[in-house]
Amino acid sequence: MTTVIGIAGSLRRGSYNAALLRAAGELMPAALQFEAGSIRDIPIYDGDVEAEQGIPPAVAQLKNRIAAAQAILLVTPEYNGSIPGPLKNALDWLSRPPADMPAIFTGKPVGVIGATPGALGTALSQAALLPVLRAFKLKPYFGSLLYVSGAAKVFDENGRLVDDAVRQKLKTYLEGFARFVNE
Ligand code: FNR
């Protein structure tokens, strides 16, 4: 079975990006088995902690889950026109030590989507992730784009996707991504 691990880059309880990740899990084509990862317990990167204590358990566990998956779906918020700190911090920890990276990331298909209550649909944070994906030697899916704007109306108060047009766009994105992953 081809597994995709999805990671939302927000810790907020009512996160639109976590809601988008849940919706992606529900709409995932049968060709991909979905599981959700979490950045919640990942501490702030500190080189002294790494040198003295090694990789924190939450990081090691997420690395293992990513290694076991055949693809990654990142769901990113946008902060100040770029990658939110918690997501960038998690990615920085996941890149340690560099010797582990080839087995976990090199050549692995990755999709990037995101949601914002603003107007530009996380276009800037998705673009800001590209150099990071390159550093990880991931294989980005460029076949379609998903920029979810006006998120306060796209999701209801329970975090359910209630906008049919966005649901259709998400389905189209995931179908293309599934084909890309299984190529
Ligand atoms: C934001 N927000 C935001 N939105 C956006 O579209 N472009 C931006 O540059 C920013 N900048 C920004 C900076 C900071 C520090 C915060 C806290 C927020 C709004 C952001 O999209 C909104 O808070 C989302 O709800 C965050 O995503 P989650 O937590 O709902 O997944």
Side-chain angles (χ1 to χ4, degrees):
M1 190 63 197
T2 307
T3 301
V4 55
I5 183 162
I7 298 169
S10 172
L11 303 176
R12 205 169 67 82
R13 237 188 332 270
S15 165
Y16 296 124
N17 288 279
L20 183 59
L21 179 65
R22 281 194 302 276
E26 287 164 17
L27 296 173
M28 195 62 71
L32 290 182
Q33 177 154 320
F34 172 81
E35 53 179 74
S38 171
I39 64 169
R40 172 157 301 282
D41 296 322
I42 295 182
I44 298 286
Y45 180 78
D46 178 338
D48 290 338
V49 169
E50 183 184 11
E52 290 158 16
Q53 299 167 34
I55 303 299
V59 178
Q61 193 199 36
L62 189 54
K63 281 173 66 178
N64 287 338
R65 292 187 66 199
I66 296 170
Q70 284 71 47
I72 304 167
L73 181 65
L74 295 177
V75 188
T76 185
E78 179 173 294
Y79 284 1
N80 294 308
S82 192
I83 309 165
L87 179 58
K88 181 63 165 56
N89 176 68
L91 291 166
D92 292 340
W93 261 123
L94 290 169
S95 71
R96 305 297 299 168
D100 286 356
M101 290 188 76
I104 303 175
F105 295 108
T106 297
K108 191 163 280 182
V110 62
V112 179
I113 59 177
T116 169
L120 298 181
T122 71
L124 293 172
S125 58
Q126 292 192 36
L129 270 167
L130 293 177
V132 182
L133 307 185
R134 182 173 58 197
F136 277 64
K137 296 188 168 64
L138 288 159
K139 185 176 148 193
Y141 172 57
F142 290 135
S144 67
L145 296 165
L146 188 66
Y147 298 142
V148 178
S149 50
K153 290 190 177 142
V154 169
F155 300 95
D156 70 12
E157 64 279 8
N158 298 313
R160 292 201 60 83
L161 177 54
V162 291
D163 183 304
D164 286 340
V166 172
R167 178 180 287 104
Q168 192 49 52
K169 281 185 194 162
L170 176 58
K171 269 183 85 170
T172 301
Y173 181 94
L174 294 172
E175 282 160 11
F177 183 59
R179 283 194 296 275
F180 175 75
V181 170
N182 284 311
E183 260 170 14

